[in-house]
Amino acid sequence: MTLFIILVALAIFALRHSSTFWFVALPGTIMHESLHWLVGKLLGARPYNFSVVPSCGPDHVTYGSVSFENFNTVNAAPTALAPLLGIPLALLAWPYVQGIEDLWAKLFAIWCLAAVMAQSLPSQADWAVALRHPVGLVCWTGAFVYFLL
């Protein structure tokens, strides 16, 4: 069953160039932007604008965004890469989804978790912000690796 949710997530990710992607990925987009906002708030980046309304640029589509007033070396990398936290959150929620008895509620939960998994990868803009602060990125990566060991 875990393989099923991963396959659904891959299917959603494969639709990223489709005109219906914004709707299919909406639960994941909400989680993606919420994680940016939450981590930014906790680390003092001062989020001030939150949107999950798609907008079209000249060469790309933005499915959501969060603006910040106070990016610095300490908070930029973890705030930009915060959507990666969606992966463990979805995995932690999976046992609860398996226990849902109602078929429609279970399908809805599977769709939400798959969308979260599909949208948990940081965007190119997220990586650009993280890489603009290499000292912070290296320090946070080192702390994360140290914590895991």
Side-chain angles (χ1 to χ4, degrees):
M1 199 61 170
T2 305
L3 181 61
F4 177 70
I5 196 163
I6 292 171
L7 291 174
V8 173
L10 289 173
I12 290 172
F13 188 75
L15 290 171
R16 69 186 175 279
H17 298 294
S18 166
S19 60
T20 59
F21 178 74
W22 71 269
F23 176 75
V24 174
L26 185 60
T29 301
I30 291 168
M31 178 63 79
H32 181 108
E33 302 305 336
S34 296
L35 287 169
H36 281 308
W37 188 90
L38 180 64
V39 171
K41 186 75 167 170
L42 291 172
L43 295 178
R46 292 195 301 245
Y48 67 90
N49 188 21
F50 180 93
S51 174
V52 291
V53 177
S55 63
C56 295
D59 58 347
H60 69 283
V61 176
T62 302
Y63 296 102
S65 64
V66 180
S67 301
F68 299 92
E69 291 179 352
N70 186 38
F71 264 153
N72 57 43
T73 301
V74 174
N75 63 23
T79 300
L81 302 180
L84 289 169
L85 295 171
I87 296 169
L89 289 174
L91 294 175
L92 286 170
W94 181 238
Y96 298 102
V97 171
Q98 289 178 321
I100 297 173
E101 298 294 328
D102 181 48
L103 176 64
W104 291 108
K106 189 174 219 167
L107 289 174
F108 178 76
I110 288 171
W111 167 52
C112 289
L113 287 183
V116 166
M117 293 283 283
Q119 291 290 84
S120 289
L121 297 177
S123 66
Q124 288 180 341
D126 297 339
W127 281 109
V129 169
L131 293 173
R132 265 186 261 146
H133 298 86
V135 173
L137 183 60
V138 169
C139 290
W140 280 102
T141 303
F144 181 73
V145 169
Y146 179 78
F147 178 74
L148 287 180
L149 298 177

